Amino acid sequence: MKKTWWKESVVYQIYPRSFKDGNGDGSGDLRGIAAKLDYLQWLGVDVLWLCPIFQSPNDDNGYDISDYRAIMAEFGTMADFDELLAQAHRRGLKILLDLVVNHSSDEHAWFVESRKSRDNPYRDFYIWKEGKNGQEPNNWGSAFGGSAWQYDPATAMYYLHCFSKKQPDLNWDNPAVRREVQDIVRWWLDKGVDGFRMDVINLISKDPRFPDGPVAPGKLYADCSLALNGPRVHEYLRELHQNVLSKYDIMTVGETGGVTPAIARDYVAENRAELNMLFHFEHMDLDKDRERLAQKPFRLTELKRILSTWQKDLGDDGWNSLYWNNHDQPRVVSRFGNDQEYWEKSAKMLATCLYLQRGTPYIYQGEEIGMTNMAFETIADYRDIGVLHAYQEEVVQKGRDCQEFLRYQRHFSRDNARTPMQWDDSANAGFSGGTPWIKVNPNYRRINVSAQMTDRESILHYYRRLIKTRKENEVILYGSYDLILADSEEIYAYIRALDKQGLLVVCNFTAQTPLFELPEHIRYSAGQLLIGNYTVTDGPMARFSLRPYECRAYLFSFTEEIYRLK
Ligand code: GLC
Ligand code: CA
């Protein structure tokens, strides 16, 4: 397996709007980020992924871009960006931008032209179709509700938008679109950015027949995700790689819903020359019933099966990204942990469980201090376009019980991740001197960076230690992975191995005290505790009782013969 810097890096994801407000207008910005570089350097991360910072009317918080070469006014100027990049580089921190090119904003100059007339030179930059018997061209639905087609009276045709109607899908089958995208990517790379996270990148190639899809019970439209992994997606990614990406020493990670390990290999295997890594979502729907908008019971065996399959199947060819959180997901400590009595223990345990696996860790802002979900009280508190659209559809139109709807959103809404970063216990958590664009979680007085900085036993210090530990141990970076005790609903345990070097990771996902017993076929000597979330006073690593949400990682060496992977 090839060793490279991005396999050894830890990425920190920043949602600029909610990270740090540099000028007191209530919205985070680039100067705010620059002011926190010392903190990020102290934490030990290597790469900062910035969610979109480009000019945008903000229908979907920057995921609707109206100029790919300009900075969003609320976030600052191009000079601010250049300064941020230079300061980051001076500290050895790299910067990853968010490339959103499945769609643009409807306010992008291309679309303004495109909708003017059927023979406009930019017409084919987007996907226009005639209606069928006075209806939409097919039954695809938008991810935010309603049809994925919008009728445009100017030319009496429909355009496709897999997200909001202000996010028209670009037509990648048009070579001119692909050339424009390549130019944009090259332009930023020449400026010195270190790579891209590519938004819904496996949605760029649509089936040219635009077939109707299956409609789930209770729904009006087919899920637009049926257009994922389309017929020419690999061709387009290879072209981008060959013409542009391959010329720079950068990293790329694709956001790819609807991808299994078998499908993933075609995107990330080394000889494919497409992407370095991707984000799959198989572990993100474990506790969520999308159809019924309800919570469903979480089973640890399912989580283990999914994560372990990814670990094994993208083993030696290809690379995993490791994440619990991002700007679209609820907070993990409230989700797979316990954000009450065992808040601190479970936050540390979850980090240990995931970030000692093989792959590149992605830490989402606030995760390192155990930020929790936010119990917004009314619909007026929400900002996410996804929640607001769903409210219209479910509560206003279909008459679903409002309290039940809000209960679901308290668990799963994307706004859980978007409340302001909690820096200290001063007003607005030290995020802004103005009125924040979204409410601050009231638990900021207890959960904040400043308090955890001074407490060496805090979640924050633990994350820092964990990051350092990864870097100091090759077995964590490049060792193989094997799940043990696959049937346990309480314990997640696995073994990493690199030649004679072994690492045992044992995590208790419950408030109970299960007994851990190492399977007998693993012969070892000299187990030594590397990291854990409780004090351990000796005892063998082969057999011990776990305390609530306890985790331990032991370094050891295999005896006699070298441990072989099954
Ligand atoms: C991705 C982004 C999400 C956005 C969507 C449309 O899933 O992560 O925030 O709404 O794409 O761009
Ligand atoms: Ca600001």
Side-chain angles (χ1 to χ4, degrees):
M1 188 195 313
K2 250 205 237 123
K3 298 184 177 176
T4 47
W5 62 265
W6 45 264
K7 292 180 179 172
E8 299 173 13
S9 292
V10 174
V11 182
Y12 186 93
Q13 183 191 350
I14 292 179
Y15 196 67
R17 187 171 299 277
S18 301
F19 190 62
K20 172 72 188 167
D21 181 6
N23 65 353
D25 67 353
S27 163
D29 46 48
L30 297 179
R31 289 189 177 204
I33 298 171
K36 293 297 181 184
L37 289 176
D38 285 345
Y39 166 73
L40 296 164
Q41 194 178 14
W42 173 85
L43 184 58
V45 299
D46 308 280
V47 180
L48 310 178
W49 152 24
L50 310 184
C51 283
I53 54 168
F54 315 99
Q55 183 181 301
S56 165
N58 284 309
D59 189 52
D60 185 20
N61 282 359
Y63 282 93
D64 48 320
I65 296 170
S66 55
D67 184 344
Y68 291 92
R69 291 184 183 82
I71 300 293
M72 190 192 299
E74 293 102 301
F75 291 174
T77 63
M78 193 58 82
D80 293 335
F81 177 78
D82 292 340
E83 179 63 21
L84 174 62
L85 186 64
Q87 285 206 30
H89 283 171
R90 223 171 288 140
R91 289 170 163 84
L93 292 165
K94 295 184 187 311
I95 291 199
L96 213 62
L97 295 183
D98 211 320
L99 186 70
V100 188
V101 287
N102 169 69
H103 44 269
S104 73
S105 162
D106 67 337
E107 296 180 33
H108 193 290
W110 300 331
F111 192 76
V112 172
E113 284 302 310
S114 184
R115 79 194 317 177
K116 278 185 183 161
S117 66
R118 291 185 177 210
D119 58 6
N120 187 282
Y122 285 93
R123 187 64 170 181
D124 286 340
F125 266 51
Y126 296 87
I127 300 171
W128 293 96
K129 296 272 176 238
E130 301 279 359
K132 248 197 209 153
N133 314 320
Q135 300 229 318
E136 291 94 10
N138 71 15
N139 71 356
W140 295 6
S142 138
F144 297 139
S147 167
W149 297 95
Q150 176 68 26
Y151 181 74
D152 204 41
T155 54
M157 282 176 84
Y158 291 82
Y159 65 86
L160 180 71
H161 61 89
C162 286
F163 296 90
S164 96
K165 63 176 192 243
K166 286 185 66 63
Q167 295 168 296
D169 282 55
L170 283 158
N171 175 20
W172 276 67
D173 293 339
N174 179 353
V177 167
R178 306 204 297 275
R179 271 197 302 276
E180 288 283 357
V181 170
Q182 289 170 25
D183 285 350
I184 291 164
V185 171
R186 199 178 293 112
W187 191 84
W188 284 102
L189 290 174
D190 287 340
K191 231 181 198 309
V193 307
D194 304 286
F196 294 94
R197 176 262 188 187
M198 301 187 186
D199 191 63
V200 288
I201 199 65
N202 59 335
L203 194 58
I204 57 177
S205 163
K206 275 79 177 180
D207 182 338
R209 294 164 298 174
F210 289 88
D212 279 336
V215 179
K219 297 272 166 180
L220 287 175
Y221 298 100
D223 193 333
C224 218
S225 63
L226 61 88
L228 293 167
N229 308 312
R232 296 176 71 185
V233 64
H234 294 295
E235 177 192 331
Y236 296 157
L237 286 176
R238 280 175 177 214
E239 183 185 66
L240 179 62
H241 185 272
Q242 193 179 344
N243 293 352
V244 188
L245 305 175
S246 63
K247 315 247 190 293
Y248 302 81
D249 180 21
I250 53 159
M251 68 174 271
T252 55
V253 52
E255 186 206 22
T256 54
V259 156
T260 60
I263 300 175
R265 207 156 330 148
D266 287 345
Y267 288 101
V268 300
E270 253 148 47
N271 67 355
R272 301 283 302 182
E274 295 187 18
L275 299 169
N276 296 147
M277 285 172 261
L278 47 76
F279 294 125
H280 72 80
F281 290 87
E282 294 203 307
H283 61 318
M284 286 289 119
D285 282 343
L286 280 174
D287 53 346
K288 178 164 47 179
D289 184 337
R290 274 179 192 277
E291 238 85 88
R292 289 180 34 245
L293 292 193
Q295 242 191 317
K296 70 179 185 203
F298 160 78
R299 288 173 66 92
L300 182 61
T301 45
E302 267 300 283
L303 176 72
K304 294 196 288 188
R305 185 187 58 73
I306 291 168
L307 294 183
S308 302
T309 308
W310 280 91
Q311 287 287 303
K312 294 302 270 185
D313 288 13
L314 284 192
D316 298 325
D317 191 13
W319 193 251
N320 274 298
S321 45
L322 310 171
Y323 78 96
W324 285 133
N325 290 276
N326 61 41
H327 63 293
D328 294 330
Q329 298 294 336
R331 294 286 181 177
V332 72
V333 69
S334 302
R335 190 175 195 183
F336 303 143
N338 174 324
D339 64 9
Q340 303 294 310
E341 191 180 349
Y342 298 110
W343 163 71
E344 177 230 310
K345 294 294 182 206
S346 67
K348 292 175 180 175
M349 182 281 288
L350 287 163
T352 310
C353 177
L354 189 64
Y355 300 140
L356 293 184
Q357 297 189 16
R358 179 155 70 179
T360 299
Y362 288 76
I363 297 169
Y364 179 67
Q365 66 182 47
E367 178 190 330
E368 77 277 21
I369 54 168
M371 277 179 64
T372 67
N373 277 355
M374 166 79 165
F376 289 115
E377 268 155 39
T378 74
I379 187 69
D381 291 334
Y382 284 95
R383 296 290 176 269
D384 175 19
I385 178 179
V387 177
L388 302 178
H389 279 224
Y391 180 80
Q392 280 305 319
E393 206 165 297
E394 295 293 327
V395 179
V396 178
Q397 287 163 29
K398 292 195 203 154
R400 179 189 282 266
D401 179 64
C402 181
Q403 288 314 314
E404 182 193 307
F405 176 85
L406 288 175
R407 211 170 315 126
Y408 174 81
Q409 298 302 347
R410 271 180 218 127
H411 283 294
F412 294 116
S413 114
R414 307 195 296 180
D415 281 341
N416 281 308
R418 299 177 181 183
T419 62
M421 179 73 182
Q422 295 165 203
W423 294 106
D424 57 40
D425 65 2
S426 70
N428 298 325
F431 160 69
S432 169
T435 306
W437 71 281
I438 189 170
K439 281 191 177 168
V440 177
N441 194 317
N443 66 19
Y444 76 88
R445 290 185 197 280
R446 187 167 51 89
I447 302 177
N448 63 64
V449 171
S450 152
Q452 294 194 26
M453 270 282 187
T454 52
D455 172 8
R456 293 192 61 84
E457 297 305 314
S458 64
I459 299 170
L460 179 59
H461 273 272
Y462 190 88
Y463 263 78
R464 182 168 186 250
R465 260 203 318 278
L466 197 60
I467 292 168
K468 190 157 169 282
T469 302
R470 270 188 73 87
K471 301 202 165 151
E472 290 167 354
N473 292 279
E474 274 250 313
V475 62
I476 303 175
L477 298 173
Y478 294 111
S480 60
Y481 167 102
D482 276 287
L483 184 69
I484 54 173
L485 313 181
D487 297 333
S488 169
E489 287 293 355
E490 298 169 309
I491 299 173
Y492 191 150
Y494 57 89
I495 299 225
R496 307 285 313 276
L498 191 67
D499 301 325
K500 280 199 161 177
Q501 180 75 78
L503 177 80
L504 167 70
V505 181
V506 182
C507 298
N508 178 9
F509 270 69
T510 72
Q512 268 59 67
T513 55
L515 179 69
F516 170 75
E517 284 179 296
L518 189 69
E520 271 175 13
H521 69 272
I522 297 161
R523 301 302 194 83
Y524 72 99
S525 68
Q528 170 211 335
L529 189 72
L530 187 63
I531 192 164
N533 61 353
Y534 282 83
T535 317
V536 175
T537 42
D538 261 4
M541 81 170 205
R543 191 166 192 280
F544 54 90
S545 282
L546 285 152
R547 287 157 282 188
Y549 293 97
E550 179 167 6
C551 63
R552 299 185 190 185
Y554 287 95
L555 266 187
F556 62 93
S557 24
F558 294 102
T559 49
E560 293 150 32
E561 56 217 276
I562 288 168
Y563 180 69
R564 293 242 162 261
L565 291 182
K566 287 161 289 256

